[in-house]
Amino acid sequence: MAQSNCSIPNHTKTPSSADISITGKCNLKCRYCFYSDEMTALSDLSTEEWKKNIKKLGDAKIMRVTLTGGEPFTRPDFFELIDSVIANRMRYSILTNGTLIDEKTIEAFSIGKRRLRLDSIQISIDGSCAEVHNLSRPDSFDRAVKGLRLLMNEGFPVTVRATISKHNMDDLDAMAAFILEDIGLPSMTNNEASPIGTGCTYKDEVALDHKDILEVGLRLEKLQKKYPGRITAQAGPLAKLRMYREMEDARKTGQPTGRWKMGFLSSCGGVFNKLGILHDGSIVPCSMLHDLTMGNMLTAELLDVWSNSPIMKGVRERYVVPLSEIPLCANCEWVEYCNGGCPGIVQQMQKTIMAPSWRMCYKNFLKANDIKSIYYAYPQEDGQV
Amino acid sequence: MCKETTYLRNPDVALREEDESGSLLFNPDTGEVLVINDTARFIWDLCAEGVTLNDIINEFGKNYDDLPENLTEDVDSYLVIMTKGGFIGSK
């Protein structure tokens, strides 16, 4: 693939953060989990192996880790691993389904610096009620909400993420009311179910198409007006609509967005300051790129991998690959404004990172919705057309 | 600031050496980050052992020529910032 003359941004000398999947085991079987069966077949590292790896992360001066899975609370040694994170001078966040959090969990957090060093604990809630939530996350709503309320009541830095799928796209208003009003969380985030991993098996059941993206995105934007500053998204329908508007604005004004390098495969900035570790110790650029293994924490030199791995370099080099050099995009009228979308989704769907994601494609989005501009989707009184 | 005050690193604080932006200190107890220049880095290195303001000024004198007139005030203000952020302790 040809590259432009522009340079690849510098990566930090060491990663500033890492996503650590400490286990492949999970007590749920969610319909869109990207940790597919082939991933859960890998063996978990032992307590001592994880402690050794966590020390390596601390020695590399990594500041923050996100502990995820699988379901991290299925590990009986979970708090022992948290203590290892603390002992190695790092802060941590947790991604959990919330179903295993009970009074004993709350008590366990009170020991030492476990509360002090906790940045956030994110629970997945995918519906306003069991009937909706359990479609994506079977038999888990009551337990997840119990865990969420326990954390809330004790003043933990708890957040909720809703993964939007066909299962819950008609429940958004009720879901926002439930989480932001009934439970009373200050804010919530959302993304979308992707047809990768288990989500590939159930793609017709869960994955949103371009029409769904527009419908859901518009509804979420209305909810943002109802709950100012309380509904956010880094990915999914809300983020996509924002990106499409920025592309339109850039074309109209000739001013770049500033959020990505327009016209290049530049959507992902994560690989410049962050990496992922899988539950068997594999080092990967990102958990979404879990099949691009760069070595194992137990044997590899972490900082050598970070700076010199051909895979890591390859993902970073996407940043200077012009979309105009990609046959699929070469003649697209949006080629100068696009960023190609998430490499993780592309890798999982097309087994390459040097390609754009059709799930992010604005041209396809407009065609599917039979509109000429994202702004045509807004009522005129919003003053956007 | 009292001249007898001794400054010592918080052992939980990590020093990250970034590429272009110099170095930064990270206090994991607060999540606070402090970007440090060469002067602050020199002070941080000295704080590995307990040092007073005078010790630090003396070390600057031993290691650098053409010291600025207001060095003592500069060092003092760095020590205040580092102490407030919990990056170093004082007694």
Side-chain angles (χ1 to χ4, degrees):
Chain A
M1 188 72 66
Q3 292 180 2
S4 71
N5 291 327
C6 69
S7 59
I8 301 168
N10 288 334
H11 59 83
T12 52
K13 198 171 178 181
T14 70
S16 57
S17 63
D19 290 343
I20 310 178
S21 171
I22 57 168
T23 178
K25 296 183 178 65
C26 187
N27 59 330
L28 301 183
K29 295 252 181 234
C30 299
R31 290 288 196 270
Y32 55 73
C33 182
F34 70 86
Y35 241 46
S36 57
D37 292 343
E38 60 184 276
M39 291 304 299
T40 54
L42 300 174
S43 299
D44 283 3
L45 295 184
S46 68
T47 307
E48 291 312 311
E49 286 171 327
W50 268 125
K51 283 183 171 177
K52 188 178 165 191
N53 288 342
I54 290 167
K55 183 177 184 310
K56 282 186 177 181
L57 297 174
D59 289 345
K61 307 297 172 63
I62 285 176
M63 296 184 283
R64 288 180 159 87
V65 294
T66 298
L67 304 174
T68 178
E71 170 48 48
F73 282 99
T74 58
R75 280 196 76 115
D77 60 357
F78 186 36
F79 282 100
E80 202 175 339
L81 299 185
I82 288 174
D83 289 341
S84 179
V85 169
I86 292 165
N88 284 285
R89 307 192 293 181
M90 292 180 279
R91 292 181 69 81
Y92 70 103
S93 297
I94 299 170
L95 306 185
T96 172
N97 60 40
T99 60
L100 299 175
I101 294 170
D102 57 18
E103 289 77 1
K104 282 185 181 172
T105 315
I106 303 294
E107 200 178 317
F109 270 112
S110 67
I111 296 170
K113 290 187 172 181
R114 291 171 182 174
R115 279 288 293 268
L116 184 69
R117 294 279 183 93
L118 177 62
D119 276 324
S120 69
I121 179 164
Q122 177 185 289
I123 295 184
S124 298
I125 300 287
D126 287 351
S128 63
C129 57
E131 188 184 1
V132 177
H133 173 97
N134 289 350
L135 287 172
S136 298
R137 313 179 69 81
D139 191 28
S140 64
F141 181 77
D142 292 340
R143 288 177 290 154
V145 170
K146 182 192 170 192
L148 174 59
R149 287 190 190 280
L150 274 171
L151 292 167
M152 274 281 292
N153 292 341
E154 295 296 328
F156 277 76
V158 62
T159 62
V160 157
R161 177 144 85 183
T163 300
I164 314 297
S165 69
K166 284 186 184 291
H167 288 151
N168 59 11
M169 61 180 280
D170 294 324
D171 189 50
L172 300 178
D173 291 60
M175 193 164 21
F178 174 65
I179 293 166
L180 300 177
E181 293 179 32
D182 296 355
I183 291 185
L185 270 185
S187 63
M188 62 182 289
T189 66
N190 60 82
N191 62 356
E192 69 173 290
S194 296
I196 58 176
T198 311
C200 188
T201 309
Y202 296 101
K203 64 183 175 189
D204 294 335
E205 190 182 320
V206 297
L208 304 179
D209 59 30
H210 287 301
K211 285 190 164 188
D212 298 330
I213 293 294
L214 178 59
E215 184 185 333
V216 170
L218 291 174
R219 207 176 300 165
L220 287 169
E221 286 182 348
K222 281 188 177 173
L223 287 167
Q224 281 187 313
K225 288 178 182 170
K226 184 176 180 181
Y227 302 102
R230 300 178 69 188
I231 297 178
T232 59
Q234 298 292 321
L238 204 48
K240 283 181 179 173
L241 262 54
R242 182 176 58 160
M243 176 184 145
Y244 296 154
R245 287 198 306 273
E246 287 176 321
M247 288 170 68
E248 288 278 0
D249 294 347
R251 187 158 87 160
K252 189 176 173 185
T253 63
Q255 297 297 313
T257 68
R259 286 206 307 131
W260 66 85
K261 184 167 176 52
M262 294 195 310
F264 295 84
L265 289 173
S266 60
S267 66
C268 180
V271 289
F272 295 96
N273 56 26
K274 185 177 183 179
L275 52 68
I277 317 290
L278 302 183
H279 56 274
D280 69 339
S282 297
I283 308 170
V284 292
C286 162
S287 53
M288 292 287 282
L289 292 168
H290 52 66
D291 46 352
L292 299 184
T293 302
M294 305 184 289
N296 193 290
M297 278 292 287
L298 293 171
T299 51
E301 289 293 330
L302 182 68
L303 297 185
D304 181 46
V305 169
W306 173 249
S307 289
N308 301 319
S309 160
I311 291 174
M312 208 67 189
K313 285 182 175 177
V315 184
R316 290 173 183 146
E317 281 170 2
R318 289 179 87 250
Y319 205 87
V320 291
V321 174
L323 284 156
S324 58
E325 299 281 344
I326 296 170
L328 190 66
C329 303
N331 296 319
C332 176
E333 61 180 305
W334 295 101
V335 71
E336 292 175 48
Y337 310 98
C338 189
N339 65 26
C342 168
I345 304 273
V346 178
Q347 171 66 19
Q348 297 313 315
M349 295 183 73
Q350 301 174 46
K351 298 301 170 196
T352 176
I353 52 169
M354 293 301 182
S357 165
W358 63 264
R359 288 186 60 77
M360 201 68 185
C361 176
Y362 185 41
K363 183 180 163 188
N364 287 347
F365 171 84
L366 293 176
K367 190 177 174 187
N369 285 291
D370 195 24
I371 51 176
K372 290 182 180 174
S373 158
I374 178 67
Y375 284 124
Y376 281 55
Y378 293 91
Q380 233 167 353
E381 57 266 28
D382 282 358
Q384 301 277 17
V385 177
Chain B
M1 196 155 287
C2 176
K3 288 189 176 178
E4 281 74 43
T5 305
T6 304
Y7 301 93
L8 189 64
R9 286 183 194 171
N10 174 349
D12 278 347
V13 170
L15 169 76
R16 274 179 61 87
E17 292 175 338
E18 306 290 322
D19 277 342
E20 289 180 349
S21 53
S23 306
L24 60 84
L25 299 175
F26 173 63
N27 183 345
D29 284 344
T30 62
E32 195 172 333
V33 165
L34 181 67
V35 178
I36 56 174
N37 60 16
D38 290 344
T39 305
R41 171 64 191 272
F42 189 74
I43 297 169
W44 170 256
D45 288 342
L46 292 174
C47 289
E49 308 291 331
V51 284
T52 64
L53 177 60
N54 280 343
D55 293 335
I56 295 169
I57 299 300
N58 288 339
E59 287 300 321
F60 268 102
K62 286 181 197 170
N63 289 276
Y64 294 96
D65 298 325
D66 300 327
L67 294 172
E69 285 181 13
N70 58 348
L71 177 66
T72 303
E73 288 78 12
D74 279 353
V75 171
D76 193 40
S77 63
Y78 282 127
L79 289 171
V80 169
I81 292 168
M82 288 185 185
T83 306
K84 276 187 178 170
F87 300 101
I88 58 176
S90 62
K91 64 176 184 180

